[in-house]
Amino acid sequence: MSVVDERVDASGRGAAFASPEPGEALTIVEPLVFDHSRPGRRAVRFPVASDAARAAGKGEPALPASVQRQEAPRLPEVSELELLRHFTRLSQLNIAIETAFYPLGSCTMKYNPKVNEWAARLTGFTDSHPLDPDELAQGSLELQWLLAELLREISGFAAVSLQPAAGAHGELTGMLMTRAFHRSNGEGEQRTKVLVPDSSHGTNPATATMVGYSVVTIPSNERGGIDLGALRAALGSDTAALMITNPSTLGIFEDQIDQVVAAVREAGAIAYMDGANLNAILGRFRPGEAGFDVMHFNLHKTFSTPHGGGGPGAGPVGVSERLAPFLPRPLPVLREGDADAVRANAWAGRETPGARFGLDWDRPQSIGKVRSMFGNFGMHLRAYAYIRANGGDGLRGVSDDAVLAANYLRVRLADAFDLPYDRVCKHEVVFSGRRQKRQHGVTTLDMAKAILDHGIHPPTIYFPLIVEEALMIEPTETESLETLDRFVDVMHDIARRAADEPEALRAAPVTTPVGRLDEAGAARRPDLRHRFGPDPVPESTEGG
Amino acid sequence: MAYTPHTDPDRAAMLAAIGVAGIDDLFDDVPPAVRAAAWDLPAPMVEQEVRAELRRLANRNRIPDVSFLGYGAYRHLVPSVVSEVVGRAEFSTAYTPYQPEVSQGTLQSIYEFQSLICELTGMEVATASHYDGATATAEAALMACRLTRRERVAVSNAVHPEVRRVLATYCSGPGIEVVEVPADLAAGGTGQTDPAAAAAVLDDSFACLIAQQPNAFGVLEPMAELGQAAHAAGAQLVAVVEPTSLAVLEPPGSYGADIVTAEGQPLGIPMSFGGPWVGLMAARMGAVRQMPGRLVGATRDAAGRKGYVLTLQAREQHIRREKAASNICTNQALCALAATAYLTAVGPAGLREVAELSMAQARHAAGALRRAGLAERRFTAPYVAEVAVTVPDAERRHAVLAAEGVVAGAPLWRDYPELTDTLLLAATELTSDTDIERLVAALEASR
C-alpha cells in the first residue's frame, strides 16, 4: 500500500498520482474533489445575457465596486465525467441499505421503496414554489392534508403538524407546545422540570434544555421499564412533562404505560411520547388513544423515507385536543368541500370536484413557525406513497414482521451474548457484550468492527447507556429470513473468535477502505476543511 | 405488507424458533386497556395505483408558465449530474456515519461540503448542515447567546419574515428577547437597514445583530457598517446570505461576520414546495466548540491512511445530553451532498455566470417594466437579483396574472403592510427574455 495522502501535492494542482501497486486498484481511495481540479476545466455552463436584456437593463443600478468580490471562490474545476467518477467512487466507500444488511438499532433502516423516489421527482412537485398562490398548489396542499389525516388515524391524535424537519425538531416543537400550554394555564413559571428515563435518546434531555427546562432522570426498573415508583415520586406541581420512548430504547414495550400516562396527567403534566420506535406498534398501540398529549413521528424511520447519510428526515407531531391550539402554523386545511368525501375519494384514487385546500394562519395560540415554509415536503410525499402502498392492513403487518424478526434474533443469539432484559422485545433487541469483555478482553466496539469485515453494518453500540457494552439490533421487517440467518451465523462466528482469537478482533476491521481512525486526534487537532496551500492570515484561535 | 419478504412458511419457522403460537403473543405486553381500536385506513395499493395517485396530486399543482416568485425559494437549474449523484442509493440509503470505516463516502463528501462553504463565505469552519436557512439562523442566534453570555438578540426587519418567525419561536423557549431594527421602508427610502438605527438599539445586553445580504427585498445592506455597530456593543454579526450571490459579492468573512447562515436551496436543490432544503452555517474557529450540529474532521488510521470522522462530538446531544449545544441530530446530509455536487458542477465560472445572468435579467425586467410605465422601483439602494417594484392595483393584478399562469413575484404587503402595491420580482439564470416579455404583456393587459 503506497502512502495515499502523498499522492497529491499541497496545492492539489498538477501533481501526478502515484501508480497503484499491483492489486491496489481494487482498494478505492479517492482524493478530495479539489485534487481533481484544473484551472479552466468546466462541467455545466450557462448562457450569458442577451444584448436585448443588457440594453433593457440600462439605467438600473449596477453593483457598487465596494461590495464586489475580489477573488473568485476556489471551487473545483472539473469535467462532468470527473465529477461523476469522483462521487461514484465516494459512494462506493459507503455501506447502505441497498448494498448490505444494516441492523442499526433505533434507526429503522428498512427498505426505501423506489416508487417513492419516482414520485418525488415529478415536476408537479419539484417545481412547486412554496409561496405560489394556493390555487396553483392544490396538489401539494391536498397531499399534506391527506398525510396529516393518515398520521392522525395511525396515531390516534386529534391533530398533526407536518412542519418539523426531523425527529429532534419534532421534540423541540412538542416541548415548545408544552411550555405554551402551561403558560396559558398560568403555570409557566411553576412547571420547570422535564422527566426523562435513563434509557432515553440524548435528544430528549437536549431538547428540554433548549426550551429552558431542567432535566430530571428517572431510573429504569429491573425489567427494563420505567420505575413507576420513582416516576410517581418525581412527579409534582413543578413537572412540565414526561418524555418517554415507547417501546423503550431497550426495545421493550412499557407494560405499565397506562399507569405511566395516568400518573403524568394526574400531576397536570404533559405526556410526551418519543415516536422513534413507532415501527414496532402500528395497529397495536395508538399513543393518542392511550392518553398521550404529543408524539413526533420519524418519517425516515417508520415511513421509509431514505436517511440520506444523516437527513433529510421529517418529524411531524401529533397532539391531543388540549395541545392542538398550540401547533405550529400554518396548517393545511380543507377550505371548501366535505372532509369525508375528500378522504373517501382520495382513498379510491379520485379527485373531489370543488374541493379546495388552503393554509390556516389564523391560530392565535400557535407557538409560531419552527421551520421556514411547511416542512420537508419531499419527505411527506414519500411517506404518503408508502402508507398508500401498505394500506392499514399492510402497516399492521409491517410491525408484526419487524417484531417477529427482532424476536427471532433475540432467541437465536441468546446463547452467544448476554441478554440483560430477557423478555419479549418489540422491533429491536439489546444484547450486552460484557461476557466477551470480561472473559476475553474483547469489547463491543471490537465486535462491531469485526462485523464490518463481513460486509454488514454493525448494530448501534454503547446505547442505551444503561446497558454495559450494549449491542442494539434492529433488523426491520424488510430483511429476509436468509439474511437474518446469515447475520446469526456471523454473530456466532464473532462470539467464537472473541474466545479463540481476541487479538484478531481487536485488529478489525481489515477489509474496509480505512482501518480504525484516530478519533481522539481528530478532536484534539481539528482539521475541518481543505487548505489551499498556506493561509495568508492565521486562523483565529479557540477562545479568541 | 408491500415491502416485506416473508412468506407464511418463513413466519411459521420464526414463530416456532421463538416458541410462541402466534404473532399476537409477541404483543401481550401491551396493556389491554390501551390496545389499539380498529383503525380506518385505506386499502393497500400496488405500484401502478400508487403512481396514479401521486400523479393525480402532482397534476393538481399548476406549475406556472412564467414565474418571478423568489422571496426565499428560487427556481434554478438543477444540473443532471447533481440529480444523478444524490440519486445514488449508496449515499441516499446510508445513515449517519457512526461507523466511519464503512462511511467514508458520506464523511468525505461532508468534509468537501464544509470546505466549499468556508471558501464561499470566507469563514474558517462550517457545519455539516442544518434543517434550513431559518433554523440555521435561529441556532446561530442561540450560539451567539452562548458565546457572549447575553440574552437579547437584534434582528433587522429586512431579514426574511420566515427567518424572523422561526427565530422568534426558537428564542421563546429559553426566554431570549428578540428586538427588531427597522429598515428604511418609507416611500423613496433605501430599503436598507440604517447602521445608526442598529447602533441605537444595540447595547451590552445584546448577543448579536442579524442582518441579511442581500436583504429580503433584494437590496444590498451596508454590512461592514452594521458589523461595526454590532462589534461596538460587543455583539456578534450574524450574516444571512444567499449562496449564489457570493460569486459576485464580497464574502461575509471579509466584512467582519462572526457567524454566517444561508438557505442552501439555490445550490442544486429543487423547490419542492418548501423542502427538503439545507441550512448552511459557518463561523470562526474560535467559536467552534459552541457550534450546533455535526462536524466532520480529517484524521488517520493506524496505517497512516487519511480518513474522515464525525468530530468534536462532545458538543452533541448523544454525548452531552442536557448539556449539549443543540438537540440537532439528523440534519440534511443528502441536500448538503447536492450542494457539494452543484458547486463542483458549476465551478467558479459557472457560479459567476448564474449570478451575473440572474442580476442581468432582474435589471432587464425592472427596466422593461419602468419603460412600459407599468412599475417603478420601490427602493433606491442597489439590488442583486430581486427587485421590489410598485405596481398600481397590485393585489388584483397579481391574482389576474396568476390565474393566467404568470406569477408576478411576491406580494410584499402581506408581510410588510406599509409596502402597499409592492411586488418583489426575482430573476434567475432560467428567466428568459420571453418570460419578461410575457410579464410585461400580462401586466399591460391587466391595467
Side-chain angles (χ1 to χ4, degrees):
Chain A
M1 176 72 66
S2 62
V3 181
V4 172
D5 50 294
E6 312 302 5
R7 287 182 179 187
V8 290
D9 69 15
S11 73
R13 312 260 168 169
F17 291 0
S19 305
E21 292 167 12
E24 197 189 25
L26 292 175
T27 307
I28 302 168
V29 175
E30 178 59 21
L32 285 171
V33 68
F34 305 99
D35 299 327
H36 292 295
S37 184
R38 295 295 179 273
R41 205 167 272 166
R42 296 291 307 263
V44 179
R45 292 165 196 270
F46 298 89
V48 293
S50 66
D51 292 342
R54 289 189 190 286
K58 287 248 164 60
E60 290 295 307
L63 273 193
S66 61
V67 302
Q68 290 192 30
R69 188 165 190 138
Q70 299 304 310
E71 287 174 30
R74 291 164 289 185
L75 307 179
E77 298 176 77
V78 299
S79 69
E80 287 203 12
L81 176 59
E82 287 171 306
L83 180 153
L84 286 166
R85 214 171 260 163
H86 172 71
F87 287 105
T88 300
R89 287 168 65 95
L90 282 187
S91 77
Q92 290 167 339
L93 303 176
N94 276 357
I95 279 187
I97 294 175
E98 285 186 27
T99 66
F101 183 38
Y102 211 123
L104 191 65
S106 147
C107 299
T108 313
M109 299 298 282
K110 62 168 73 177
Y111 169 59
N112 308 143
K114 290 296 170 186
V115 68
N116 302 355
E117 302 306 310
W118 171 87
R121 291 197 174 91
L122 292 171
T123 53
F125 294 133
T126 56
D127 292 355
S128 179
H129 192 298
L131 299 177
D132 270 339
D134 289 353
E135 289 67 34
L136 304 187
Q138 286 296 300
S140 298
L141 291 169
E142 179 176 348
L143 189 148
Q144 289 196 316
W145 185 83
L146 290 170
L147 177 61
E149 290 294 293
L150 291 168
L151 293 178
R152 223 157 55 84
E153 184 65 17
I154 288 166
S155 62
F157 282 107
V160 166
S161 164
L162 303 178
Q163 203 177 96
H169 205 213
E171 290 179 33
L172 179 65
T173 307
M175 282 298 104
L176 286 166
M177 288 191 284
T178 297
R179 192 165 185 119
F181 170 79
H182 289 313
R183 280 180 180 162
S184 76
N185 290 337
E187 295 186 337
E189 299 299 312
Q190 159 196 339
R191 295 188 179 272
T192 56
K193 291 179 179 161
V194 169
L195 315 184
V196 299
D198 56 7
S199 59
S200 70
H201 291 109
T203 49
N204 296 169
T207 300
T209 303
M210 270 183 96
V211 178
Y213 285 129
S214 59
V215 175
V216 178
T217 304
I218 308 296
S220 298
N221 63 26
E222 69 286 351
R223 301 184 66 246
I226 190 169
D227 184 327
L228 202 50
L231 173 66
R232 288 199 170 113
L235 281 167
S237 58
D238 61 350
T239 308
L242 168 74
M243 298 182 85
I244 188 169
T245 308
N246 185 39
S248 73
T249 59
L250 295 163
I252 291 172
F253 194 90
E254 292 282 354
D255 55 11
Q256 298 174 309
I257 197 68
D258 44 348
Q259 298 174 60
V260 168
V261 172
V264 170
R265 293 194 73 133
E266 196 177 319
I270 289 294
Y272 185 100
M273 190 171 125
D274 182 323
N277 295 340
L278 188 65
N279 207 49
I281 51 173
L282 295 167
R284 299 285 182 172
F285 177 74
R286 294 199 291 174
E289 198 175 63
F292 276 100
D293 288 294
V294 49
M295 179 188 80
H296 75 262
F297 303 79
N298 297 82
L299 297 188
H300 49 295
K301 296 181 182 179
T302 315
F303 300 102
S304 83
T305 74
H307 285 65
V317 287
V319 291
S320 59
E321 290 285 355
R322 63 178 184 165
L323 279 195
F326 305 100
L327 279 171
R329 65 181 166 215
L331 287 179
V333 287
L334 180 62
R335 289 237 185 268
E336 290 164 29
D338 174 64
D340 289 336
V342 170
R343 273 191 301 265
N345 280 328
W347 300 166
R350 282 195 305 263
E351 201 86 20
T352 303
R356 202 177 144 265
F357 297 85
L359 289 164
D360 181 13
W361 284 88
D362 186 18
R363 304 182 55 81
Q365 288 189 283
S366 167
I367 58 166
K369 300 207 76 173
V370 295
R371 189 197 178 279
S372 65
M373 310 305 172
F374 324 115
N376 281 343
F377 176 77
M379 302 295 113
H380 303 156
L381 71 88
R382 287 172 172 89
Y384 180 74
Y386 179 77
I387 294 171
R388 296 303 309 271
N390 278 284
D393 291 347
L395 289 178
R396 190 178 160 106
V398 159
S399 287
D400 286 356
D401 280 352
V403 169
L404 184 61
N407 277 285
Y408 180 72
L409 292 181
R410 174 178 63 84
V411 169
R412 293 287 320 271
L413 293 174
D415 58 341
F417 302 95
D418 282 5
L419 194 55
Y421 302 98
D422 189 7
R423 50 188 283 202
V424 165
C425 64
K426 289 278 114 16
H427 63 305
E428 64 194 5
V429 55
V430 180
F431 288 97
S432 167
R434 64 192 172 197
R435 191 196 314 173
Q436 284 74 20
K437 186 179 180 187
R438 283 187 200 144
Q439 294 180 359
H440 313 301
V442 171
T443 64
T444 286
L445 182 70
D446 296 330
M447 293 193 284
K449 299 305 182 192
I451 293 171
L452 295 174
D453 281 329
H454 292 272
I456 292 173
H457 196 285
T460 294
I461 54 175
Y462 299 101
F463 185 80
L465 306 177
I466 58 170
V467 172
E468 183 188 356
E469 297 290 310
L471 263 169
M472 184 198 219
I473 303 170
E474 181 180 6
T476 83
E477 73 281 5
T478 56
E479 297 296 338
S480 69
L481 185 53
E482 295 76 45
T483 300
L484 300 179
D485 282 338
R486 175 164 178 262
F487 179 67
V488 167
D489 291 345
V490 165
M491 293 303 286
H492 278 132
D493 184 59
I494 285 170
R496 178 190 61 73
R497 289 172 67 211
D500 296 350
E501 39 180 329
E503 281 310 318
L505 263 59
R506 285 194 281 270
V510 296
T511 60
T512 48
V514 291
R516 289 192 210 187
L517 291 156
D518 179 6
E519 299 193 25
R524 245 189 338 267
R525 297 175 299 275
D527 171 0
L528 307 176
R529 67 183 164 99
H530 174 65
R531 309 301 167 109
F532 300 86
D535 274 346
V537 182
E539 198 160 76
S540 63
T541 52
E542 285 193 39
Chain B
M1 285 168 281
Y3 306 109
T4 67
H6 300 305
T7 63
D8 285 340
D10 290 342
R11 292 192 182 95
M14 287 193 274
L15 288 168
I18 297 164
V20 293
I23 189 72
D24 289 347
D25 292 352
L26 297 177
F27 290 92
D28 271 352
D29 43 13
V30 180
V34 290
R35 285 187 189 159
W39 58 18
D40 180 20
L41 288 170
M45 285 177 153
V46 295
E47 175 157 348
Q48 69 194 53
E49 294 164 330
V50 174
R51 283 196 183 206
E53 169 65 356
L54 272 294
R55 196 183 281 117
R56 174 183 79 79
L57 290 164
N59 290 344
R60 272 207 83 180
N61 281 341
R62 180 165 176 205
I63 305 305
D65 307 335
V66 173
S67 179
F68 289 84
L69 182 56
Y71 200 38
Y74 302 91
R75 188 177 60 107
H76 284 288
L77 177 79
V78 177
S80 305
V81 288
V82 173
S83 311
E84 192 66 29
V85 167
V86 297
R88 284 199 72 89
E90 299 93 328
F91 285 125
S92 67
T93 75
Y95 192 40
T96 300
Y98 287 130
Q99 295 288 340
E101 298 89 342
V102 291
S103 309
Q104 285 298 301
T106 294
L107 286 161
Q108 184 174 325
S109 71
I110 294 173
Y111 182 88
E112 292 175 355
F113 171 78
Q114 293 172 181
S115 304
L116 289 164
I117 300 310
C118 286
E119 183 61 21
L120 208 50
T121 57
M123 301 299 282
E124 294 168 350
V125 54
T127 64
S129 77
H130 294 264
Y131 305 134
D132 68 349
T135 58
T137 308
E139 288 256 28
L142 300 182
M143 176 180 161
C145 290
R146 289 192 296 274
L147 285 165
T148 58
R149 298 173 198 272
R150 298 177 179 182
E151 293 188 340
R152 293 172 95 192
V153 165
V155 59
S156 160
N157 79 337
V159 169
H160 196 289
E162 286 286 282
V163 176
R164 285 182 289 126
R165 288 179 188 122
V166 174
L167 175 72
T169 308
Y170 268 62
C171 287
S172 73
I176 290 164
E177 187 189 355
V178 181
V179 179
E180 294 205 343
V181 179
D184 178 8
L185 304 186
T190 61
Q192 291 176 318
T193 310
D194 180 359
V201 164
L202 290 163
D203 60 36
D204 64 6
S205 67
F206 281 88
C208 63
L209 169 67
I210 307 173
Q212 185 175 330
Q213 181 76 325
N215 70 19
F217 320 119
V219 165
L220 285 164
E221 292 277 19
M223 293 302 278
E225 289 77 7
L226 292 171
Q228 283 159 13
H231 293 151
Q236 306 233 309
L237 175 65
V238 176
V240 183
V241 300
E242 192 288 306
T244 64
S245 72
L246 292 178
V248 292
L249 296 183
E250 60 178 333
S254 68
Y255 53 71
D258 300 285
I259 309 174
V260 179
T261 62
E263 174 51 66
Q265 180 270 327
L267 303 177
I269 298 163
M271 296 185 292
S272 292
F273 200 57
W277 296 349
V278 59
L280 317 180
M281 183 190 291
R284 311 275 177 189
M285 268 311 273
V288 69
R289 283 174 207 271
Q290 290 300 337
M291 285 188 98
R294 289 177 177 147
L295 291 167
V296 168
T299 186
R300 285 169 196 281
D301 70 5
R305 290 175 292 194
K306 193 167 186 178
Y308 301 88
V309 293
L310 292 174
T311 194
L312 300 176
Q313 294 186 78
R315 303 163 298 114
E316 292 191 68
Q317 50 78 26
H318 62 286
I319 308 286
R320 293 279 282 172
R321 298 178 71 83
E322 66 268 24
K323 296 188 182 67
S326 166
N327 75 341
I328 193 167
C329 179
T330 282
N331 44 86
Q332 303 281 126
L334 199 67
C335 300
L337 176 67
T340 305
Y342 178 85
L343 289 170
T344 302
V346 302
L351 197 68
R352 189 168 185 94
E353 287 165 357
V354 167
E356 287 184 340
L357 184 51
S358 303
M359 287 195 303
Q361 291 298 51
R363 282 157 182 72
H364 178 182
L369 290 171
R370 172 166 44 80
R371 264 189 294 279
L374 290 164
E376 285 298 327
R377 200 146 48 81
R378 181 69 170 73
F379 298 118
T380 57
Y383 58 92
V384 182
E386 281 182 280
V387 55
V389 296
T390 306
V391 176
D393 198 14
E395 185 160 13
R396 180 188 63 81
R397 293 163 83 186
H398 188 269
V400 167
L401 265 63
E404 295 166 5
V406 176
V407 178
L412 286 179
W413 60 86
R414 291 188 192 156
D415 289 323
Y416 297 91
E418 59 271 59
L419 297 181
T420 44
D421 283 339
T422 307
L423 296 168
L424 183 70
L425 305 177
T428 71
E429 79 285 359
L430 295 180
T431 304
S432 69
D433 292 354
T434 42
D435 290 347
I436 293 167
E437 287 162 19
R438 176 105 185 255
L439 174 69
V440 171
L443 270 179
E444 182 70 58
S446 71
R447 269 194 215 256

